Amino acid sequence: MAHASDHAADAPAILSEVKPAVLPRATLVENNRSFNWITEKICGIIEGKTPTWWWVCFILACFVASFTVAGITYLVITGVGVWGHANPVNWAWDIVNFVFWIGIGHAGTLISAILCLLRQKWRTSINRAAEAMTIFAVVCAAIFPVFHVGRVWYAWYLFPIPNSNVIWQNFRSPLEWDVFAVSTYGTVSVLFWYIGLIPDLAVLRDRFFNAGNKIRSFLYGLFAMGWRGSNRHWSNYEMAYLILAGISTPLVLSVHTIVSFDFAVSLIPGWHTTIFPPYFVAGAIFSGFGMVLTLMLPLRAVYGLQDLITQYHIDCMCKITLATGTIVGYAYGIEFFIAWYGANPYEGFAFINRAFGHYAWAYWIMIGCNVITPQFFWFKAVRNNTALVWILSIFVNVGMWFERFVIIVTSLARDFLPSSWGYYSPSIVEIFTFFGTFGVFSVLFLLFIRFLPIMPMAELKAVTPQADVHGGHGAEGKH
Amino acid sequence: MAVQPYGVIATFNTAPELYHAAEQVRDAGYRHWDCITPFPVHGLDKAMGLKRSIVPRISLAGGITGFITGMTMIWWTGAVDYPLIVGGKPLFSPMFAFPVSYELTILFTAFATIIGMFLVNGLPRHYHPVLKYDHIVRGMDDTFFIVIEARDPRFNLANTKAMLEKIGGAAVTELEP
């Protein structure tokens, strides 16, 4: 890249005396691939014959997804009582799973929005798949609160739509804030994803047209909106993309903040803490990067995308997982410290009970997976071992699920009065419903990798060396 | 008399070639012309002499509308249409109305940005002379084009073609309207 020398002409005079070292920039597309190679590689995945493994995975995913369908159907026919929660644990797996899936989605927005604003160009090869992951995770998340309302056909009461009771929603409630936060998050994620897809859909439109497949050309073309690569359009497009990145950044931070308000605004010991918003956001990004690694590493191997998702990309993702995982570990420590320092016996009991009470097994799984696992990413040898990174990413996913379980269930299971204490276990219907959401997620993700470009071709081309219009003139410092 | 073409299109193989050609077309005083690129070429807006996009103004209008919508909705539903005291809290306060208004600000900004981008770009437009060009698929892939429209006051078929060839354009072709 020519940037270092580009700015040499207008740099302060002192720089010529101290001669700062020019840091080499990491190569984002390896082996000096051409623009055409990128197009062929990404479009080839869609245009080629459906691979056998895809059908195997798809049928398996449909089978797993049927567990959710069965669980939900049984719940709708019978009632919410088929789930295992009862006094005093009235929030259990449903909310755990909701927060778990929403959290996973957050890495997608972090990659597409925050890293875009920070000009982290390595995001380009993973952002499309990560955004898809966000949308599908929000779909899975939404299943739980929507069906937890009981009579799901009244779920529209959550929105301020005039109804026959004339009464309106209670906007003082964090649960109502959550309705707006999550539905805005889902909508904006879809819009952001779609905007990114438009230029790539135009590529597919023209390629299918030339290949004589008029139906697919028409369908891709319909959504490509007549995109023709005009630079006058690119100018507005880039601006719109930047603004969407700019508003998605406070959005993603606010969504998990508001999710944490569901707990923090209440008075339950173990929930009523001011550390929740930042701690939840860090945890969400941590779990999301775990999921990105879980999804992208097999995809990279299956489709031979090593030149596009390089070791540098894996390093970056591991380091973010390490950083956010360490923040989460720090938050666990601070929670304990405040429980002691706050001198509130109920708060103190809640935390001692978490670590040494009946749910201690869940607590130590959480600590093991969330605090210890990411520490392996300090070592380059671990980051270079793709199989090991993948296994560690699974531990991160498991750990973050247990974090929500520990927070929600342990606090509720020990009510203020010992006479109301209880122990929660999930029912088989809950277990099936949650297990099935992995199938729902996989079905959606498999459809995505089959029919849509898994990487943003235009953005990938823009970060290659040959896209730099000053490439040949950089040495002379010419603009 | 033959039908007036939509314009002429010239091919450039690399981004730097296109960039320098665009500077020359700009300096030649053309106004109704365009570059077709497979990805946003950094710095090309300046080379084409484009002004800053007006999309942010539409976004701002959307954001303000969203915030006002949120505050007004919560105030009207809670304090005017059906006042109901819950937990002894006030009927309306900008404090508890803030999270929802904040989310609506973002939601409306997103819609305004996208709708604004489409309106400013004149999209969707599924028929366009440029899309009828035989090699347009390359323009989505790895090739760059400059199109000069016939409605430009400086357009003259012979001169414009000669100029495009002079600045390095290959396969200078007329586009059917």
Side-chain angles (χ1 to χ4, degrees), chain A residues 65-228:
Chain A
S66 69
F67 281 75
T68 293
V69 177
I72 294 295
T73 310
Y74 184 58
L75 176 131
V76 170
I77 294 170
T78 320
V80 187
V82 300
W83 282 353
H85 37 50
N87 276 334
V89 186
N90 284 311
W91 273 7
W93 270 38
D94 51 341
I95 307 297
V96 173
N97 300 338
F98 162 73
V99 181
F100 171 75
W101 276 116
I102 280 283
I104 282 178
H106 280 37
T109 320
L110 179 102
I111 291 168
S112 53
I114 299 181
L115 297 185
C116 174
L117 294 185
L118 296 175
R119 298 185 190 282
Q120 294 295 311
K121 289 182 178 171
W122 61 271
R123 67 183 267 288
T124 50
S125 61
I126 51 170
N127 76 341
R128 172 73 45 76
E131 283 169 36
M133 179 191 82
T134 297
I135 294 164
F136 306 149
V138 172
V139 169
C140 291
I143 292 172
F144 295 98
V146 165
F147 284 93
H148 191 201
V149 300
R151 285 176 280 180
V152 69
W153 48 97
Y154 287 130
W156 59 276
Y157 275 18
L158 292 167
F159 293 96
I161 300 165
N163 59 58
S164 55
N165 296 332
V166 196
I167 199 166
W168 293 103
Q169 287 67 28
N170 177 15
F171 285 103
R172 300 163 191 86
S173 165
L175 296 179
E176 185 62 18
W177 304 346
D178 220 10
V179 170
F180 279 84
V182 173
S183 48
T184 299
Y185 185 52
T187 313
V188 174
S189 298
V190 171
L191 292 176
F192 198 17
W193 190 55
Y194 174 59
I195 280 291
L197 273 168
I198 289 174
D200 291 353
L201 293 176
V203 178
L204 287 164
R205 171 197 64 199
D206 293 344
R207 284 174 67 95
F208 276 116
F209 188 82
N210 281 14
N213 192 335
K214 296 287 189 300
I215 297 169
R216 291 190 78 172
S217 174
F218 173 79
L219 289 174
Y220 284 114
L222 195 64
F223 289 99
M225 293 277 180
W227 184 263
R228 57 181 187 271

Side-chain angles (χ1 to χ4, degrees), chain A residues 253-273:
Chain A
L253 299 178
S254 76
V255 170
H256 230 60
T257 299
I258 291 176
V259 168
S260 81
F261 282 169
D262 292 348
F263 309 101
V265 173
S266 78
L267 293 171
I268 308 285
W271 287 7
H272 186 63
T273 55

Side-chain angles (χ1 to χ4, degrees), chain A residues 35-36 39 160 165-168 170-172 176-177 180-181 184 187-188 191 194-195 198 202-203 205-207 210 221-222 225-240 243-244 247 250-251 254-255 258 458 461-462 466-470 473, chain B residues 15-16 19-20 31 33-42 44-45 48 50 52-53 55-56 59 73-74 76-77 81-82 84 86 89-91 96 99-100 102-104 106-107 109-111 113-114 117-118 120-121 123-126 128 131 137 140-142 144:
Chain A
F35 295 141
N36 181 253
T39 315
N165 296 332
V166 196
I167 199 166
W168 293 103
N170 177 15
F171 285 103
R172 300 163 191 86
E176 185 62 18
W177 304 346
F180 279 84
T184 299
T187 313
V188 174
L191 292 176
Y194 174 59
I195 280 291
I198 289 174
V203 178
R205 171 197 64 199
D206 293 344
R207 284 174 67 95
N210 281 14
L222 195 64
M225 293 277 180
W227 184 263
R228 57 181 187 271
S230 152
N231 192 58
R232 289 176 193 273
H233 291 176
W234 278 120
S235 170
N236 294 317
Y237 174 95
E238 288 268 273
M239 185 58 88
I243 291 169
L244 284 174
I247 60 169
L251 175 65
S254 76
V255 170
I258 291 176
K461 289 171 190 169
Q466 65 265 37
D468 187 1
V469 292
H470 305 294
H473 306 275
Chain B
Y19 179 84
H20 296 298
R31 283 191 289 120
W33 65 288
D34 210 342
C35 296
I36 305 292
T37 61
F39 57 87
V41 177
H42 185 69
L44 191 59
D45 290 357
M48 279 181 72
L50 294 186
R52 192 182 148 86
S53 167
V55 171
S59 308
M73 175 183 73
I74 293 168
W76 185 78
T77 57
D81 188 52
Y82 198 127
L84 186 66
V86 179
K89 294 184 184 117
L91 292 173
F96 72 68
V100 169
Y102 180 90
E103 299 302 332
L104 288 180
I106 290 172
L107 185 68
T109 310
F111 275 107
T113 306
I114 287 175
M117 190 271 281
F118 279 131
V120 173
N121 282 348
L123 294 176
R125 180 174 176 185
H126 290 284
H128 193 274
L131 290 178
V137 69
M140 303 283 156
D141 180 3
D142 61 351
F144 307 84

